[in-house]
Each structure stands twice: as C-alpha cells, then as structure tokens.
Amino acid sequence: MSIKYNREKFEKILSRTPSKWAEKHKAKKESNSLGQDSAMVAINVLTLLEEKKWSQEQLAQIMNISPKEVSKIVKGKVNFSIELIATIEKAFGQKIIQIN
C-alpha cells in the first residue's frame, strides 16, 4: 500500500460526516449535571424522612403514590418535575430545593 492510497482513504473517511463529539460531550455533561441535581433532591428527601422519623411507606401514603415510586425518589432515579417536587414539599410541609 502506498502512502498516497492511505492518505486518500483517510481523507475520504474524514469527509463523510462531520464529527459529533462536541455535541455528545455537551449532552453527557448536561446529563451528569442533572444526575447531580437529582442526587441532591434525593438526599434532601432522605434527610427529611430521618428528621421526621417517617418510613418510605408513610411518605408514599401521604403523597398517594406507591412505595416503589418513593424508592425511586430517594435513589434519585426519577425525573424531578416541578409537579413532583411540589408534591414532595407539600407532603413534608417545607421546601426541599432552592432555585437560585
């Protein structure tokens, strides 16, 4: 194989589609940030459960959701929508996050 052939092949590969690495990196970084925020909400919920000496089952009853959903909340494995956060705050009677 000649250097010319390798160069032509390399240039052909490069010219097919532009790289999306920057977009993928940005999406991954944003996803990681959301994961950290979810973890913080989960920690706040766990802290309030401990302070109030409530079980996850009690919180589930108060929120009118399944214990399985509360388990996801305390693990940070749910999409913390404004509605869900408001429901949690109503159950505890206090804020669980502060928006700056």
Side-chain angles (χ1 to χ4, degrees), residues 3 11-12 34-35 39-40 60 62 77 81 85 87 90 95:
I3 294 175
E11 287 174 355
K12 189 176 181 180
L34 290 174
M40 189 52 90
I62 293 167
K77 301 291 183 187
S81 65
I85 291 171
T87 303
K90 184 177 179 183
K95 297 282 185 188

Side-chain angles (χ1 to χ4, degrees), residues 10-53:
F10 180 72
E11 287 174 355
K12 189 176 181 180
I13 290 170
L14 286 180
S15 66
R16 283 187 200 158
T17 44
S19 174
K20 303 236 183 219
W21 73 267
E23 293 169 16
K24 289 179 183 178
H25 176 72
K26 183 178 179 184
K28 185 176 179 181
K29 188 175 180 181
E30 288 172 359
S31 174
N32 189 29
S33 176
L34 290 174
Q36 290 173 349
D37 293 342
S38 293
M40 189 52 90
V41 172
I43 290 168
N44 290 345
V45 170
L46 283 169
T47 301
L48 288 169
L49 283 172
E50 187 176 310
E51 286 176 4
K52 293 188 178 282
K53 296 182 171 65

Side-chain angles (χ1 to χ4, degrees), residues 57 59-67 69-70 73 84 87:
E57 291 80 15
L59 180 59
Q61 288 175 351
I62 293 167
M63 291 179 62
N64 198 28
I65 62 174
S66 72
E69 285 301 308
V70 173
I73 289 169
L84 178 57
T87 303

